């Protein structure tokens, strides 16, 4: 009866005497790096010219199980379809990744960012400006040349 | 006349220092416990307030002071307010008779390093520590809450059961010193600690001391899984803090008594007596925390069976054997 008690005491003492081996993370100071296939904040992609890949087919909003994607399609002067508004409600999103899977244009990906907490209720809606990947400098130049 | 005045002033100073140190130690005991327990459970514990959370007790205190002080509508108001104090005061009182150092003389005045050397010190400690039960029982009863009442009942049952074996375990030592004064007890251990001469008494004392202070694995009065948080469920703000501090004051008291009775009190080589006393006490307190982070809680029937069927007979047998050995040797 005494032996298991002493074994337990020795185990806790062993852990106490090696204080550097802790399993917890000091979160705001040290941050967790997600695995490559982690599903975090969405990112809308651009092609090489810096144009949005999304053609507003609406498959993502159809497949979305929590119905958090809201998009309105439109056509530009050349007859190419694009999304006029593209909003994701982050309160509803369950980060299942179906939108990424279903997208025929590979326009939306779920990336690594997981710190989505907000103090303002209205911040839950992520619009196109927030979701679109920022333009690279080269792509910007190319886009300018093309428009000329 | 002048002697009386000097005595009064010296006593007041001693009381002030001891109470001050005690309250400071209680505050930091909470930090130490959280830290030690965290590392035993492979965690870090408080890290954000100050270096490794060193200012955490101050932050906790400030938080508790600013909390709303709630008295339930159907509570027995006077008892509800009084019981935290009833729990706290006995815990601080019993430290009065514990010697924490040798007699020193400053400017021709010899000062005993004990607040008062009562010739019935042991009796005083046992009597005063029993009063602490009232705080918990009345606190649980006056809250007008079933969980609190159950917690209070459990604690009174538990403390009465374990007080018997605690008293009997000390009787073995008292028989050997032939004095109830704690100063004499320490002096009797100049050559050999009583933990060597009375190992059974020490084990019985250690177990019943943990049960007396309502600590894990005997923390049934505040069993979170069954009773929300037991007798202090309805308490908030500084009233809760007083109960919390009373628990830690009790730990310090039983550690101090244990050190005095079984580990030679302030006696030790090289270092000054007060330092030895504090080191020994720190070891005892560490043992308390160690037990808490290792063992799960007893069941209430197991607890009672253990107290009455195992611990009490062992304590009585120890007294009997000590008596026999002493009368025939």
């Amino acid at each position: 009866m005494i032996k298991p008690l002493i074994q337990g005491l020795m185990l806790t003492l062993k852990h106490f005497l090696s204080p550097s081996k802790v399993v917890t993370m000091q979160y705001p100071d040290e941050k967790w790096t997600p695995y490559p296939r982690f599903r975090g904040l969405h990112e809308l992609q651009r092609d090489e010219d810096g144009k949005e890949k999304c053609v507003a087919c609406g498959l993502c909003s159809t497949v979305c199980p929590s119905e958090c994607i809201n998009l309105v399609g439109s056509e530009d002067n050349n007859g190419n379809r694009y999304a006029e508004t593209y909003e994701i409600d982050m309160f509803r999103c369950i980060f299942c990744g179906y939108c990424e899977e279903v997208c025929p244009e590979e326009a939306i990906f779920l990336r690594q960012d997981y710190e989505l907490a907000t103090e303002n209720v209205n911040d839950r809606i992520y619009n196109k400006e927030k979701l679109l990947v920022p333009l690279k400098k080269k792509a910007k130049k190319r886009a300018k040349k093309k428009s000329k | 006349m002048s002697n009386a005045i000097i005595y009064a002033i010296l006593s007041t100073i001693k009381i002030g220092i001891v109470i001050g140190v005690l309250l400071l130690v209680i505050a930091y005991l909470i930090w130490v416990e959280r830290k030690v327990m965290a590392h035993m459970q492979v965690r870090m514990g408080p890290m954000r307030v100050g270096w490794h959370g060193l200012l955490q007790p101050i932050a906790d205190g400030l938080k508790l002071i600013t909390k709303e002080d709630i008295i339930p509508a159907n509570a027995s108001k006077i008892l509800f307010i009084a019981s935290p104090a009833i729990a706290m005061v006995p815990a601080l009182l019993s430290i009065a008779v514990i010697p924490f150092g040798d007699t020193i003389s400053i400017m021709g005045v010899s000062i005993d390093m004990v607040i008062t050397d009562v010739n019935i010190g042991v009796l005083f400690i046992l009597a005063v520590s029993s009063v602490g039960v009232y705080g918990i029982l009345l606190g649980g009863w006056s809250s007008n809450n079933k969980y609190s009442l159950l917690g209070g009942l459990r604690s009174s049952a538990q403390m009465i059961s374990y007080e018997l074996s605690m008293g009997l375990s000390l009787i073995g030592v008292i028989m050997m010193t032939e004095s109830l004064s704690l100063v004499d007890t320490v002096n009797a251990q100049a050559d050999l600690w009583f933990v060597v001469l009375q190992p059974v008494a020490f084990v019985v004392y250690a177990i019943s001391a943990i049960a007396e202070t309502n600590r894990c694995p005997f923390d049934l009065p505040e069993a979170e899984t069954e009773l929300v948080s037991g007798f202090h469920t309805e308490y908030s703000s500084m009233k809760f803090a007083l109960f919390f501090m009373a628990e830690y004051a009790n730990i310090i008291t039983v550690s101090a008594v244990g050190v005095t009775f079984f580990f030679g009190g302030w006696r030790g080589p090289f270092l000054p007596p007060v330092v030895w006393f504090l080191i020994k006490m720190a070891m005892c307190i560490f043992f308390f925390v160690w037990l808490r982070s290792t063992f799960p809680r007893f069941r209430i029937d197991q607890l009672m069976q253990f107290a009455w069927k195992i611990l009490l007979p062992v304590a009585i047998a120890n007294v009997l054997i000590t008596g026999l050995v002493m009368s025939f040797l």
Side-chain angles (χ1 to χ4, degrees), chain B residues 242-314:
Chain B
L242 270 181
F243 271 127
F244 207 68
M245 282 160 73
E247 187 186 320
Y248 286 88
N250 270 323
I251 295 172
I252 291 173
T253 309
V254 291
S255 304
V257 175
V259 165
T260 314
F261 272 90
F262 296 103
F263 292 103
W266 43 263
R267 286 187 184 277
F270 312 122
L271 293 169
V274 180
V275 175
W276 267 112
F277 187 72
L278 290 177
I279 288 172
K280 286 170 182 175
M281 241 171 75
M283 296 307 286
C284 282
I285 290 165
F286 176 79
F287 186 66
F288 267 85
V289 179
W290 189 10
L291 284 181
R292 185 183 168 190
S293 56
T294 308
F295 296 133
R297 192 180 301 127
F298 267 82
R299 223 166 52 206
I300 186 84
D301 58 320
Q302 291 172 336
L303 181 93
M304 285 300 156
Q305 255 180 23
F306 184 69
W308 293 104
K309 291 186 179 169
I310 299 175
L311 215 56
L312 192 63
V314 168

Side-chain angles (χ1 to χ4, degrees), chain B residues 95-140:
Chain B
I95 216 88
V97 291
I98 287 163
F100 45 86
D102 205 357
T103 308
I104 54 166
S105 57
I106 300 169
M107 294 185 294
V109 185
S110 68
I111 304 167
D112 297 326
M113 295 298 264
V114 52
I115 290 178
T116 169
D117 178 19
V118 192
N119 56 5
I120 48 156
V122 185
L123 213 59
F124 178 80
I125 286 176
L126 290 176
V128 160
S129 68
S130 317
V131 178
V133 186
Y134 281 103
I136 290 171
L137 182 60
L138 290 177

Side-chain angles (χ1 to χ4, degrees), chain A residues 1 4-6 8-13 15-16 19-24 26 28-29, chain B residues 35-45 47-48 286-287 290-291 293-295 306:
Chain A
M1 195 191 98
L5 295 181
I6 292 168
L9 285 173
M10 283 302 128
L11 182 74
T12 41
L13 190 69
H15 284 305
F16 176 69
S20 54
K21 283 182 195 164
V22 288
V23 293
T24 50
Q26 297 298 306
D29 300 333
Chain B
K35 245 2 209 186
V36 169
M37 220 164 76
H39 279 293
M40 284 183 171
Q41 296 165 348
V42 209
R43 296 181 287 121
M44 294 289 271
M47 287 291 283
R48 309 279 321 158
F286 176 79
F287 186 66
W290 189 10
L291 284 181
S293 56
T294 308
F295 296 133
F306 184 69

